[in-house]
Amino acid sequence: HEISVRINNGVEADQFSIKLYNIEGRFIKDINLGDIDYTLDPFNEFKISLFNNNNNMASGVYILSFNIDGEIKNKKIVYLK
């Protein structure tokens, strides 16, 4: 179960990470993607595996917390098995 994360071109960062929380706010997983380099392409794309088949994560609403050089943005996602 991969998801694609796209960052607009022109964005550069020394540190990019994503944290996954359940809807109750309980921490589940941290993914450190390192730096984001400047690109002339329309966007930088990262494919990440948040929900692998080895875990017992339930279908439901989860929160992705994106941290780009200390600026945090949260997005809700729905996971269906």
Side-chain angles (χ1 to χ4, degrees):
H1 298 80
E2 276 188 342
I3 65 167
S4 294
V5 176
R6 292 181 176 181
I7 307 292
N8 291 338
N9 68 347
V11 174
E12 288 184 273
D14 293 325
Q15 183 59 38
F16 177 43
S17 65
I18 301 171
K19 291 184 180 181
L20 178 66
Y21 298 90
N22 68 14
I23 195 64
E24 297 167 345
R26 191 170 315 144
F27 173 78
I28 296 172
K29 189 174 190 176
D30 187 14
I31 298 172
N32 184 355
L33 296 169
D35 62 346
I36 301 173
D37 295 324
Y38 182 84
T39 182
L40 295 176
D41 295 331
F43 51 82
N44 277 309
E45 183 173 30
F46 302 90
K47 292 191 183 279
I48 58 174
S49 179
L50 289 175
F51 306 99
N52 44 19
N53 294 333
N54 298 340
N55 61 26
N56 294 323
M57 293 182 62
S59 295
V61 178
Y62 291 85
I63 307 294
L64 288 178
S65 182
F66 298 91
N67 184 338
I68 300 175
D69 283 346
E71 183 177 332
I72 297 172
K73 299 204 184 239
N74 298 314
K75 298 289 180 186
K76 287 184 192 176
I77 61 169
V78 176
Y79 173 61
L80 300 173
K81 282 189 174 183

